[in-house]
Amino acid sequence: QVQLVESGGGLVQPGGSLRLACESPRFALDLVAVGWFRQAPGKEREGVSCISMDDGSTYYTDSVKGRFTISKDNGKNRVYLQMNSLKPEDTAVYYCAATGKLSLDPFEYDYWGQGTQVTVSS
């Protein structure tokens, strides 16, 4: 069983920033892609961003382009999601997930973290 551990969620005002982190000892081995997903109450889980642990290729959903940045630290087996200019509509539980294929489709992902709450509110 692959364990992914997320951290960094919290409450932030609109326009503020948060950095999420996801750590797993398997990132350096056979898990090629790591993605960040979010799910707001009453909505489906959506892909936010993903990164290849191999060559660093990245994808973003349109609503976060220019505001969010995904990055990796292979030495620390971590993936980060830097979220700037946060909006109330970014409020959701954010999950990291890992799989062997780079994709923003949550159904492509095999391993999931427990989720961390991000709330953007004044």
Side-chain angles (χ1 to χ4, degrees):
Q1 185 70 23
V2 177
Q3 183 178 14
L4 285 75
V5 179
E6 299 126 333
S7 60
L11 173 65
V12 64
Q13 292 185 344
S17 298
L18 282 174
R19 188 176 79 157
L20 306 182
C22 179
E23 182 172 357
S24 172
R26 290 282 297 275
F27 288 166
L29 300 175
D30 57 344
L31 293 176
V32 175
V34 176
W36 284 99
F37 300 83
R38 64 187 180 187
Q39 188 165 20
K43 295 188 177 181
E44 294 184 351
R45 190 169 297 187
E46 67 165 339
V48 175
S49 182
C50 58
I51 188 167
S52 166
M53 298 304 289
D54 186 15
D55 63 9
S57 299
T58 59
Y59 292 103
Y60 297 91
T61 193
D62 288 345
S63 63
V64 307
K65 286 180 180 177
R67 300 189 298 123
F68 291 10
T69 302
I70 192 170
S71 62
K72 62 183 179 74
D73 185 334
N74 289 69
K76 295 182 178 179
N77 293 326
R78 289 180 185 171
V79 171
Y80 301 99
L81 185 68
Q82 178 67 43
M83 305 185 295
N84 298 329
S85 302
L86 282 161
K87 304 175 181 180
E89 51 263 44
D90 294 317
T91 296
V93 177
Y94 282 71
Y95 300 88
C96 74
T99 188
K101 176 182 177 182
L102 191 63
S103 171
L104 284 176
D105 182 351
F107 291 102
E108 296 282 358
Y109 284 75
D110 302 310
Y111 307 105
W112 291 83
Q114 79 284 358
T116 184
Q117 177 70 45
V118 171
T119 302
V120 184
S121 175
S122 55

